[in-house]
Amino acid sequence: MKTPPVFRFIRWFRELGISDVPLVGGKTASLGEMLRSLSPLGVRVPDGFAITADAYRRFLAASGLDRRIEERLAGLDVTDLEDLAQRGEALRAMILEADWPGDLAAEILNAYGRLGGAQGIDVAVRSSATAEDLPEASFAGQQQSFLRVAGEAALLDACKRCFASLFTNRAISYRADKGFDASRVALSVAVQRMVRSDLATSGVMFTLDTETGFRDVVLIEAAYGLGENVVQGAVVPDECLVFKPTLAMGFRPILRKATGAKEFKLVYDSTAGAVRNVEVPPDERARFCVEDGDLLELARWACLIERHYSERQGRAVPMDIEWAKDGLSGELFIVQARPETVRSREVGAVIETWRLQESGPLLVSGRGVGRKIASGPVRVIADAADIARFQAGEVLVTDKTDPDWEPIMKKAAAIVTDRGGRTCHAAIVSRELGVPAVVGTGDGRARLRDGQVVTVSCAEGEVGRVYGGRLAFGVERTEPGDLVRPITRVMMNVADPAEALRLSFIPNDGVGLAREEFIISNSIGIHPLALLDYPNVEDPVAKVEMERLSAGYADKPGYFVDKLAQGVAMLAAAFYPKDVILRLSDFKTNEYANLVGGKAYEPLEENPMLGFRGASRYGHPRYRRGFALECRAVRKVREEMGLVNLKLMIPFCRTPEEARRVLAEMSDLGLRRGEKGLEVHMMCEIPSNVMLAEEFCELFDGFSIGSNDLTQLVLGVDRDSEVVAPIFDERNEAVLRMISRVIRVCRSRGRKIGICGQAPSDYPEFARFLVREGIDSISLDPDSVMATTLAIIDEERAV
């Protein structure tokens, strides 16, 4: 028989630093010698005591329930929902009506008294079953837990209700689906002093990224009040990612912070023993609800917990942890932990890439869960009592889910919820089932109607979208296997930070081109100079939009720095410790003008492609202050977060004199080439870069050939003109000679030389040409990495 789970409550108190914990009901096999040998981890947990699975068995045996339960479950068919409901109700009633054995009740109450029960303290009563949180099944929320339990009678009742929750309809069905013998399942209960997070914050954290399985981050979700709202998906929580490797070095690597709606908070009600949801004021919703110091402390604890259980198991054990902050004492607490059971089991042998092959009207969007696409007719269900209406293959649309919904979730083509974040119940179960889900849409039920055929796509980054109609889609499966790495470094062009963790699993040698422009356009949206001049912005429309985008930031320039730093940090962390080469901003003036507030700062140019762009902007009086914000963001990534694998690249640098001015400007702003390992590269995309390569080599650590602009300027072709488009060809002999020359010069001067343009992604023969010329690295679009890598290996063998 399986012993009670080694990851949760019975073990928690002693393992995490409380040495004297009453164990009511006798020791179970899960404690054993291992428990006595554990040393404190330095993680704070609430005082409490544990009611063991042996106590549960004593309770059943005393009233003959063990035999009656087995009889009641005989011949069960979980697909017969009506019969399942009848059996479940009868089993729960049997347990609730049974009397406590006198000695066992006395043991529980004695332990409660020692905890402070005589003073009527509030406790949380949490359950943990033997078939819960196993490596092959999460059983998320299958058993019940109870908050703010006070008094002896209420405690005994809550414990009995935990026992009865082993036989909810959903738990019976789930165990049957997973092949667990229900008669051999037992349950333990932890009784913990309540953490008054109703006066502060609480949430969930995972020691990996739940969407990709990326192991080097801690994902933290948080909301105001007691933690049930986050766990149950009742609110869209704040979200944060912390990078483990540099956290362990003493840095402060908060990679990403996203503010959720946090519409409600669960607080103590005036009625004894009750809790209720109240609305969160708008100004509090707009703020991130946890201070950075607390986020870092929680992440450190998460790493300690993961390391502890991994050492005990002899293998990596990513963890799913609940935490709370006490509003009275200001202290953080860990209230439970269990193994993560979905991404941690993926072996990663096959990389799946799902893609939509046609477009349709966007109906609703939210947080995407999973990486798949599915189509089907909508079924809007408001209450779990109506789940019998649901048919296999439909798209389930509801407010939120809990374990009562699981019998139909496994039959759904996709799931859409109005509320919840990516660690809510709907998200966890959807991942386990392999079903795409879009959570936290806000208004999915209002916008979608029964029978409407839709396509749910979670394959477009972190945003999940629901489109009208049955759209065509496909999936590509790549098996990296034991692919031999070529001598030529194969890097990637990456723009979207939300895709970085997923893309890191493709065999690569780092990022040869990370673009600032995508982050500024999509995560910031405001011209940096407008943020610097925020009090004096005269355009009322722009000012309202600036306030909306930067809500929660009193320091408006700080908004630009934080958001840019977080986007860049996601890219640098995803590929750490490999090189990530960040190209500093290269917007044209018309593109800068399209940012909120931008028109007031940008000149009108006839040909922005050849105008005020790239290096010419950085020290110019018209943009110098904006460039200073970019440099602050870079310093934050390298110095505060410890991501020194980040290298910089200067775009569109016309002359060596301009290069010197830019380097001097950067030095004045604290970014000195060669200091703290900082490398500065240059885009080679202008004929002057090739013809003066020897001089530029004296100023930069390396070059990256921008074949798009270089081809345009060598051939005198506007690459955006459809009239002369046939002339634009990177394989033109004039372009090839320019590239060949700059490679020779760089190699002779001991400088790195790579390429980040489109040509190697589009033309394998172009990649082979580069290999023959001796280029150091080729940076490719992610979807062409595997095929081009094979072509490079073949060419290197031939050479």
Side-chain angles (χ1 to χ4, degrees):
M1 174 179 176
K2 288 182 169 65
T3 59
V6 296
F7 299 97
R8 284 182 70 187
F9 306 119
I10 292 181
R11 306 174 64 86
W12 260 111
F13 303 103
R14 288 186 179 173
E15 292 192 13
L16 302 187
I18 299 175
S19 60
D20 184 19
V21 179
L23 298 174
V24 176
K27 273 180 193 171
T28 62
S30 67
L31 293 168
E33 294 301 318
M34 185 186 296
L35 178 61
R36 290 192 290 274
S37 69
L38 294 173
S39 59
L41 299 185
V43 175
R44 189 181 298 112
V45 299
D47 292 337
F49 61 93
I51 302 169
T52 70
D54 287 347
Y56 166 78
R57 296 188 189 95
R58 285 169 54 190
F59 174 80
L60 295 187
S63 52
L65 286 176
D66 44 2
R67 175 182 49 79
R68 293 168 61 194
I69 289 171
E70 191 168 351
E71 291 172 354
R72 179 66 69 170
L73 290 172
L76 173 67
D77 177 5
V78 293
T79 63
D80 185 339
L81 297 184
E82 184 176 351
D83 180 52
L84 173 63
Q86 290 174 354
R87 293 180 191 235
E89 184 177 7
L91 288 166
R92 295 191 297 275
M94 287 162 47
I95 292 174
L96 294 175
E97 292 167 4
D99 292 328
W100 282 99
D103 58 340
L104 184 54
E107 287 184 60
I108 294 172
L109 297 181
N110 285 338
Y112 180 52
R114 291 193 296 272
L115 188 61
Q119 290 77 47
I121 67 160
D122 297 332
V123 294
V125 181
R126 302 178 183 275
S127 61
S128 178
T130 59
E132 191 175 10
D133 306 319
L134 298 172
E136 64 270 23
S138 73
F139 285 72
Q142 289 298 319
Q143 275 66 59
Q144 290 181 303
S145 295
F146 301 92
L147 303 178
R148 199 188 175 189
V149 177
E152 294 182 345
L155 174 60
L156 291 175
D157 180 67
C159 292
K160 195 184 292 185
R161 291 184 181 278
C162 285
F163 290 166
S165 69
L166 270 176
F167 299 100
T168 57
N169 303 346
R170 70 216 187 196
I172 297 170
S173 173
Y174 200 94
R175 286 193 296 269
D177 288 341
K178 295 295 182 180
F180 294 107
D181 183 351
S183 67
R184 300 177 67 82
V185 172
L187 185 134
S188 57
V189 176
V191 179
Q192 299 171 317
R193 184 186 293 270
M194 276 293 294
V195 177
R196 292 299 304 273
S197 58
D198 59 303
L199 303 174
T201 56
S202 59
V204 175
M205 55 184 174
F206 285 77
T207 60
L208 49 59
D209 178 62
T210 54
E211 294 311 311
T212 64
F214 186 81
R215 297 289 184 92
D216 279 345
V217 292
V218 176
L219 166 66
I220 302 173
E221 288 197 336
Y224 297 111
L226 300 171
E228 292 302 294
N229 278 345
V230 176
V231 175
Q232 294 178 0
V235 297
V236 179
D238 292 343
E239 183 179 300
C240 165
L241 281 176
V242 180
F243 189 53
K244 295 179 191 175
T246 57
L247 178 70
M249 300 176 191
F251 291 98
R252 299 172 60 84
I254 298 175
L255 303 181
R256 181 178 184 273
K257 289 170 68 175
T259 304
K262 307 184 295 294
E263 307 97 318
F264 306 99
K265 61 179 177 179
L266 192 64
V267 300
Y268 276 28
D269 189 61
S270 57
T271 304
V275 295
R276 64 188 177 97
N277 266 316
V278 297
E279 288 192 6
V280 175
D283 61 326
E284 292 184 25
R285 296 183 200 180
R287 296 197 300 268
F288 205 88
C289 68
V290 184
E291 297 293 330
D292 287 358
D294 284 348
L295 291 172
L296 294 167
E297 182 72 356
L298 287 169
R300 281 188 283 267
W301 285 1
C303 293
L304 289 170
I305 294 166
E306 179 184 52
R307 185 183 312 130
H308 170 75
Y309 284 116
S310 297
E311 290 173 354
R312 291 294 166 185
Q313 293 296 301
R315 59 180 176 83
V317 181
M319 299 296 292
D320 168 358
I321 302 164
E322 292 183 29
W323 62 272
K325 182 171 184 175
D326 193 297
L328 297 176
S329 69
E331 294 176 313
L332 293 168
F333 291 88
I334 299 297
V335 296
Q336 73 177 58
R338 58 193 178 195
E340 194 279 341
T341 60
V342 180
R343 297 297 178 210
S344 57
R345 292 188 289 126
E346 294 179 348
V347 294
V350 177
I351 299 172
E352 285 191 344
T353 304
W354 295 67
R355 289 192 179 87
L356 283 173
Q357 296 171 338
E358 57 182 323
S359 59
L362 177 63
L363 304 178
V364 70
S365 64
R367 188 58 189 259
V369 177
R371 291 159 280 180
K372 296 182 179 181
I373 304 171
S375 298
V378 165
R379 177 68 67 186
V380 180
I381 297 183
D383 190 271
D386 298 324
I387 63 176
R389 296 173 45 221
F390 191 82
Q391 301 297 314
E394 292 180 329
V395 174
L396 173 62
V397 178
T398 188
D399 182 42
K400 65 184 182 73
T401 68
D402 60 37
D404 287 331
W405 294 77
E406 288 169 21
I408 64 170
M409 294 175 75
K410 60 191 177 188
K411 299 191 293 183
I415 297 168
V416 179
T417 68
D418 285 355
R419 295 195 275 172
R422 59 170 168 156
T423 63
C424 70
H425 176 269
I428 291 173
V429 175
S430 294
R431 289 188 199 99
E432 183 178 332
L433 297 174
V435 173
V438 180
V439 301
T441 63
D443 56 0
R445 288 181 300 164
R447 290 179 173 271
L448 305 174
R449 65 182 186 277
D450 277 356
Q452 180 181 15
V453 176
V454 299
T455 297
V456 177
S457 173
C458 296
E460 303 170 75
E462 64 183 18
V463 177
R465 296 179 173 89
V466 181
Y467 298 99
R470 192 181 296 274
L471 306 182
F473 60 87
V475 58
E476 299 174 7
R477 294 179 173 86
T478 303
E479 298 185 20
D482 297 322
L483 183 66
V484 176
R485 299 304 300 158
I487 298 171
T488 307
R489 293 198 303 160
V490 178
M491 306 177 83
M492 279 196 282
N493 301 331
V494 182
D496 186 356
E499 287 288 280
L501 300 185
R502 180 183 67 83
L503 295 175
S504 71
F505 289 93
I506 299 173
N508 69 85
D509 296 304
V511 174
L513 174 62
R515 302 181 181 94
E516 264 194 26
E517 300 84 55
F518 185 96
I519 302 169
I520 295 172
S521 293
N522 291 274
S523 298
I524 299 173
I526 306 172
H527 196 290
L529 297 179
L531 286 164
L532 284 161
D533 295 336
Y534 175 75
N536 303 315
V537 171
E538 296 180 355
D539 182 345
V541 176
K543 196 151 191 175
V544 168
E545 183 64 4
M546 289 172 65
E547 187 59 42
R548 184 187 72 82
L549 291 172
S550 63
Y553 276 87
D555 175 13
K556 299 304 179 182
Y559 164 76
F560 184 94
V561 172
D562 282 356
K563 293 300 181 183
L564 180 56
Q566 288 169 22
V568 171
M570 283 291 292
L571 298 174
F575 296 88
Y576 183 90
K578 302 170 187 173
D579 286 353
V580 171
I581 301 175
L582 174 69
R583 185 180 70 189
L584 298 172
S585 64
D586 193 25
F587 279 128
K588 288 70 174 177
T589 50
N590 59 320
E591 295 167 336
Y592 263 121
N594 287 333
L595 296 172
V596 174
K599 288 183 174 59
Y601 297 95
E602 297 300 329
L604 290 173
E605 294 184 308
E606 290 295 327
N607 189 353
M609 184 71 75
L610 297 179
F612 188 43
R613 62 175 286 199
S616 64
R617 295 181 67 95
Y618 299 158
H620 194 283
R622 296 189 68 144
Y623 187 71
R624 174 178 285 137
R625 293 183 302 146
F627 183 63
L629 295 185
E630 293 183 45
C631 291
R632 276 178 57 189
V634 170
R635 291 190 64 185
K636 185 169 185 174
V637 174
R638 286 180 51 87
E639 297 171 16
E640 183 176 316
M641 302 189 198
L643 293 164
V644 294
N645 61 319
L646 181 68
K647 320 295 183 184
L648 300 181
M649 184 153 64
I650 309 301
F652 223 76
C653 187
R654 295 173 171 94
T655 67
E657 291 75 21
E658 189 171 63
R660 292 187 184 94
R661 287 195 294 272
V662 169
L663 291 171
E665 187 75 17
M666 292 173 62
S667 181
D668 289 344
L669 293 169
L671 291 172
R672 299 173 184 84
R673 178 184 164 220
E675 192 172 282
K676 300 177 183 176
L678 177 63
E679 292 183 9
V680 182
H681 296 233
M682 185 189 79
M683 288 288 294
C684 179
E685 53 191 342
I686 307 172
S688 64
N689 299 150
V690 178
M691 303 312 298
L692 300 176
E694 291 85 354
E695 289 92 328
F696 282 114
C697 279
E698 298 301 316
L699 301 171
F700 293 101
D701 296 289
F703 286 17
S704 185
I705 299 165
S707 58
N708 298 342
D709 274 359
L710 185 61
T711 300
Q712 175 176 244
L713 295 173
V714 168
L715 298 181
V717 174
D718 181 355
R719 71 188 193 198
D720 294 327
S721 169
E722 71 279 3
V723 178
V724 294
I727 302 173
F728 184 92
D729 190 341
E730 299 94 327
R731 297 166 295 179
N732 182 280
E733 185 62 28
V735 179
L736 296 180
R737 290 187 186 185
M738 295 288 271
I739 291 173
S740 179
R741 181 183 191 280
V742 75
I743 291 174
R744 289 198 308 272
V745 171
C746 285
R747 289 177 63 85
S748 68
R749 296 295 196 282
R751 290 291 183 260
K752 299 174 183 177
I753 178 69
I755 189 168
C756 61
Q758 186 66 29
S761 297
D762 291 344
Y763 309 117
E765 67 272 24
F766 192 89
R768 288 192 286 268
F769 157 75
L770 295 170
V771 172
R772 290 195 298 272
E773 293 298 313
I775 200 163
D776 294 318
S777 64
I778 298 176
S779 195
L780 304 161
D781 292 339
D783 58 2
S784 64
V785 166
M786 295 301 297
T788 307
T789 299
L790 294 173
I792 290 170
I793 291 171
D794 288 343
E795 186 62 34
E796 288 179 349
R797 287 171 177 166
V799 173

